[in-house]
Amino acid sequence: MDTAKVQKLQEMIDSARRIVFFGGAGVSTESGIPDFRSVDGLYNQKYDYPPETILSHTFYMTHKTQFYKFYYDKILIDGVEPNAAHKKLAELEAAGKLSAVVTQNIDGLHQKAGSKKVLELHGSTLRNYCTSCRKSFDIDYLMEQKAKQIYAPKCDACGGDIKPDVVLYEEGLDQNIISESIREISQADMLIIGGTSLVVYPAAGLIDYFKGDKLVLINKSATTRDSAADLVITDSIGEVLGAIKV
């Protein structure tokens, strides 16, 4: 780990008044959740259909059993805990330094670590709902269905289909979440981008609304925005943020 860069990050955080964190899959891989696009990620594993096809609205509507077999196997992961990055961001928020976490992740680990203002661009596996009567179901209900190998789970009130509250391919993002993310990013004086390759749009385009003077990129590989950043750290985000003192 580059201690000089971590020290610079510390100084930037110390002088910042309103920090927003924008994160992607790399934040959660250190907790054991697979990345979609890494060498051993979901896009590089073999299934009857490509993952982007399985995780589409059309596939959910027409192949619910196959959708849920994949969802149970690869998306609905139990017993995962927040890592040092999640925990430090929660500490920064509690200290009044960080105003929001904007995340592309759907695992709920930011909230589990203690973060309060989490804007989930792609939804959450913690929430599920009946597509007919809109009754809500928590992750425990889905885990029970998974344990029983019940694919295409049904609502216990009306018998309707249960859908995870995640944004599938072909579905639009929640405009209220988008608007609030834009507001937070545009009002921040420091934006920390971590664990994302910045290739997923429209989510990645939200950073264009940043008007502050401290742009930091923490990612294990280079991104297309590195040249615009005030500080680039190509290292483990857990180790980097874990070294920060609040």
Side-chain angles (χ1 to χ4, degrees):
M1 186 166 61
D2 191 325
T3 55
K5 286 191 173 182
V6 173
Q7 179 57 38
K8 182 176 181 182
L9 175 62
Q10 180 75 65
E11 293 168 359
M12 294 171 75
I13 288 174
D14 289 344
S15 64
R17 300 181 309 279
R18 190 182 180 99
I19 303 170
V20 167
F21 178 81
F22 181 95
V27 179
S28 292
T29 52
E30 293 176 36
S31 289
I33 293 179
D35 183 2
F36 270 52
R37 292 174 174 78
S38 64
V39 173
D40 56 351
L42 293 184
Y43 280 159
N44 292 285
Q45 299 177 24
K46 301 300 182 183
Y47 297 94
D48 291 340
Y49 299 89
E52 61 267 35
T53 297
I54 299 172
L55 295 174
S56 69
H57 178 81
T58 297
F59 197 87
Y60 166 79
M61 295 298 293
T62 57
H63 299 75
K64 285 189 175 62
T65 296
Q66 289 164 294
F67 171 89
Y68 265 106
K69 283 183 177 179
F70 182 89
Y71 186 78
Y72 285 164
D73 186 33
K74 294 298 179 183
I75 308 298
L76 200 63
I77 301 173
D78 194 22
V80 180
E81 296 297 326
N83 59 55
H86 297 108
K87 294 173 183 176
K88 189 63 64 174
L89 291 168
E91 290 178 29
L92 287 167
E93 182 186 41
K97 279 286 186 179
L98 185 139
S99 64
V101 169
V102 180
T103 181
Q104 299 174 81
N105 296 336
I106 59 175
D107 48 53
L109 289 180
H110 285 293
Q111 293 94 325
K112 196 170 185 179
S115 290
K116 306 300 182 187
K117 183 69 175 286
V118 182
L119 299 167
E120 297 169 314
L121 296 172
H122 297 150
S124 173
T125 60
L126 304 185
R127 301 185 302 269
N128 309 274
Y129 64 92
C130 173
T131 58
S132 296
C133 72
R134 310 302 290 187
K135 180 179 177 179
S136 297
F137 296 88
D138 60 19
I139 191 171
D140 292 337
Y141 185 84
L142 261 289
M143 295 305 296
E144 290 170 7
Q145 306 304 298
K146 178 181 179 181
K148 297 174 183 176
Q149 295 186 321
I150 296 175
Y151 303 106
K154 300 291 185 180
C155 174
D156 59 8
C158 76
D161 294 320
I162 293 176
K163 182 182 181 296
D165 191 11
V166 298
V167 179
L168 302 176
Y169 289 97
E170 304 170 345
E171 295 179 345
L173 303 187
D174 185 311
Q175 289 305 306
N176 291 327
I177 297 294
I178 290 289
S179 297
E180 185 62 13
S181 298
I182 290 172
R183 189 186 72 81
E184 286 287 354
I185 291 171
S186 65
Q187 292 182 359
D189 66 338
M190 181 174 185
L191 178 63
I192 302 175
I193 300 172
T196 174
S197 54
L198 294 174
V199 297
V200 177
Y201 282 80
L206 294 177
I207 67 174
D208 292 332
Y209 291 92
F210 178 61
K211 304 181 181 72
D213 58 0
K214 303 179 187 72
L215 178 61
V216 178
L217 278 165
I218 307 171
N219 199 49
K220 287 185 176 180
S221 59
T223 77
T224 56
R225 302 297 185 107
D226 285 5
S227 60
D230 300 292
L231 177 63
V232 177
I233 303 178
T234 51
D235 215 325
S236 158
I237 190 166
E239 291 182 15
V240 171
L241 290 185
I244 295 299
K245 295 179 175 59
V246 178

